[in-house]
Amino acid sequence: MAAITPAVVVFAIAPVLLNLTGTGAFWVLMIGGLLGTAMAFSWAELGSTYPIAGGDYTIVSRTLGRALGFISLVLTGPVQAFLIPAVVALSIAGYLSSVVSLDARIVGAFVIGVGVVISIVGVKFTARAVGVLLAFELAVVTFIAVLGFISIQRGPDVLVVPSIFDPATQVGGPLPFGTLIAGVAVAAFAYNGFQGALLFSEETKGNPRAVAHSVFLALGVAVVTAVIPVAAGLMGAIDLAAFTNSANPWSLLVEGFGSPVFATVVNLGIALSIMNGVVALVPYFSRVLYSSGRDHVWPAAISKPLASVHPKLETPWVASLVVGVGSIILILAFDVDAMATIIGTVVSVEFVLISASAIVSRVRDKDIRRVYKMPLWPVIPIFSGLFAIFILTQQTTHDLTITGVILLVAFLYWLLYLRPRSATHLHMLAPIYGDTPEGQASSRP
């Protein structure tokens, strides 16, 4: 739940949706929740069947083959592991600006550094820390929703018909259907992380069915804590056109109460709640890089350190450092905001791979032990896979081109480096529960 970061969804990603889709942001988040629910069934079944720290790529490799498995690793590993924490960390400075003017890049780098330290200290300590901060984060999100509802300016009918306002003229009009669907990719990015229990499955005690339950619980909380505040903001904003076109609409809502001190306190609370997301994201993504090193995905000089575990703290400390350093380099050297738009496209591609895995796993591995089986198979994964493909058709040529280049580079790396070394590299970790024999898994193309 902390990896989803409800505060980031509301305070950093929702403004992007409001700018892109106007009042349609409400429907975009609802549709994103529907797609997320369909995906949750696939992740719940696959994650409890293959409880291995690497998450998606370990599943895709076993079901669709190691070429697509490596592509999944690149999407959920280096691409998201460096970019998402950087995007989240950068959003903090905007809310701190009401107190002190700071360079957003320096603030972002510092916050990621804190996240790395907490991640290395230990998974139990990290869980306690993010648990406390998550409670605070949910309280801030709830408080913002309450502010919207108590300052209500219009009825719920504003949510029914999606409208968008021209930034220059402030004149409203109907939201194009294609734009609404394109926004669902951003919502997919917003909810991304509800499958996070899969990455900690090796460290989870008890019945692996609990991994499935965690996926549904995290998604449910994510949808509720996103949809309700956005609905409250749209109903409570004094100027709806200004609210949907603002880079920081929540500050407009808070400033409507007329107290600078009140606004400052709320903005500080928002900044602290967003920081919790970074604290949760570093250990989340470090498990992906750790698992890739353990499976010898990279040259030995890289894989061996990534696979190392601290002898006392029992955490993948090198992988955590790599996540932190990679994110900090992105923040300090590149325009992360300009790169952030591709995340939704990348997540949609991953949705296609996981949906296909949920279908192939049942067909190919009929005798595997499944502690959780989704209902209405294969209807649900077919729906989610086709929906994700439809979303991809609505993305910009720029984002599709960048994503295509990432996929091509990943495939060439597998073809030219990993495939000739299939006996020693990308050698999947022996599964924990009921997977096909290691020889069969490693013999797949």
Side-chain angles (χ1 to χ4, degrees):
M1 287 167 56
I4 299 169
T5 321
V8 172
V9 176
V10 175
F11 304 124
I13 302 175
V16 175
L17 280 175
L18 289 166
N19 295 168
L20 178 66
T21 61
T23 64
F26 172 81
W27 281 109
V28 167
L29 290 169
M30 292 286 285
I31 296 171
L34 174 64
L35 175 59
T37 300
M39 289 302 307
F41 281 107
S42 294
W43 264 310
E45 177 171 323
L46 294 169
S48 58
T49 303
Y50 309 94
I52 300 174
D56 290 5
Y57 93 88
T58 64
I59 294 169
V60 175
S61 296
R62 287 173 166 78
T63 54
L64 305 183
R66 287 187 286 177
L68 290 177
F70 178 71
I71 288 175
S72 174
L73 167 61
V74 172
L75 297 179
T76 59
V79 173
Q80 294 187 38
F82 300 153
L83 188 53
I84 292 181
V87 171
V88 172
L90 277 174
S91 67
I92 294 177
Y95 291 99
L96 290 177
S97 61
S98 62
V99 181
V100 59
S101 179
L102 296 171
D103 187 316
R105 296 175 183 268
I106 300 301
V107 173
F110 174 78
V111 169
I112 288 176
V114 172
V116 169
V117 172
I118 294 179
S119 174
I120 293 175
V121 168
V123 67
K124 290 184 178 180
F125 175 81
T126 304
R128 294 189 187 101
V130 299
V132 172
L133 288 172
L134 179 62
F136 175 79
E137 183 178 335
L138 294 175
V140 173
V141 170
T142 302
F143 181 68
I144 289 294
V146 171
L147 290 183
F149 285 127
I150 65 176
S151 63
I152 192 165
Q153 305 291 321
R154 56 194 64 84
D157 55 295
V158 69
L159 308 175
V160 177
V161 181
S163 301
I164 189 167
F165 297 86
D166 184 274
T169 64
Q170 303 294 297
V171 176
L175 176 70
F177 179 72
T179 304
L180 185 145
I181 295 300
V184 176
V186 181
F189 163 40
Y191 295 142
N192 186 48
F194 67 85
Q195 72 276 24
L198 275 64
L199 297 175
F200 294 93
S201 55
E202 288 186 35
E203 298 161 278
T204 303
K205 306 301 182 182
N207 193 326
R209 191 179 178 89
V211 173
H213 293 162
S214 297
V215 171
F216 287 109
L217 176 61
L219 175 64
V221 173
V223 174
V224 169
T225 55
V227 170
I228 293 180
V230 168
L234 292 172
M235 294 170 65
I238 296 175
D239 186 335
L240 189 58
F243 182 80
T244 57
N245 284 317
S246 173
N248 197 348
W250 304 108
S251 291
L252 294 180
L253 182 67
V254 174
E255 290 167 3
F257 287 82
S259 171
V261 175
F262 176 73
T264 297
V265 171
V266 173
N267 283 332
L268 287 174
I270 292 173
L272 179 59
S273 61
I274 293 176
M275 180 175 176
N276 185 44
V278 178
V279 173
L281 285 169
V282 174
Y284 174 97
F285 285 118
S286 69
R287 266 66 184 171
V288 181
L289 298 186
Y290 158 75
S291 184
S292 71
R294 188 172 59 179
D295 285 334
H296 305 289
V297 172
W298 318 105
I302 299 175
S303 288
K304 186 175 180 180
L306 284 178
S308 62
V309 176
H310 195 281
K312 294 184 178 180
L313 300 175
E314 299 181 334
T315 53
W317 67 281
V318 175
S320 296
L321 283 174
V322 171
V323 171
V325 171
S327 299
I328 291 173
I329 290 174
L330 279 182
I331 286 177
L332 298 179
F334 299 96
D335 184 1
V336 175
D337 289 337
M339 300 162 57
T341 56
I342 70 168
I343 298 177
T345 307
V346 167
V347 170
S348 297
V349 173
E350 191 64 19
F351 281 5
V352 175
L353 293 176
I354 291 297
S355 299
S357 295
I359 297 171
V360 173
S361 177
R362 286 263 197 117
V363 173
R364 174 177 287 175
D365 300 328
K366 297 179 180 180
D367 298 328
I368 198 170
R369 176 191 174 190
R370 299 181 189 274
V371 296
Y372 172 83
K373 297 179 71 172
M374 78 175 80
L376 299 178
W377 180 93
V379 175
I380 290 178
I382 289 176
F383 164 76
S384 60
L386 292 177
F387 196 172
I389 292 174
F390 179 53
I391 291 172
L392 286 171
T393 65
Q394 304 302 309
Q395 302 310 302
T396 65
T397 302
H398 174 266
D399 289 348
L400 290 173
T401 300
I402 293 178
T403 303
V405 170
I406 293 172
L407 297 179
L408 178 61
V409 171
F411 177 74
L412 290 176
Y413 179 87
W414 172 81
L415 182 67
L416 301 177
Y417 183 81
L418 289 177
R419 189 179 183 185
R421 298 168 175 79
S422 58
T424 56
H425 288 62
L426 194 51
H427 187 67
M428 304 305 297
L429 172 74
I432 300 174
Y433 294 102
D435 191 6
T436 52
E438 182 65 19
Q440 181 179 350
S442 62
S443 67
R444 292 176 188 159

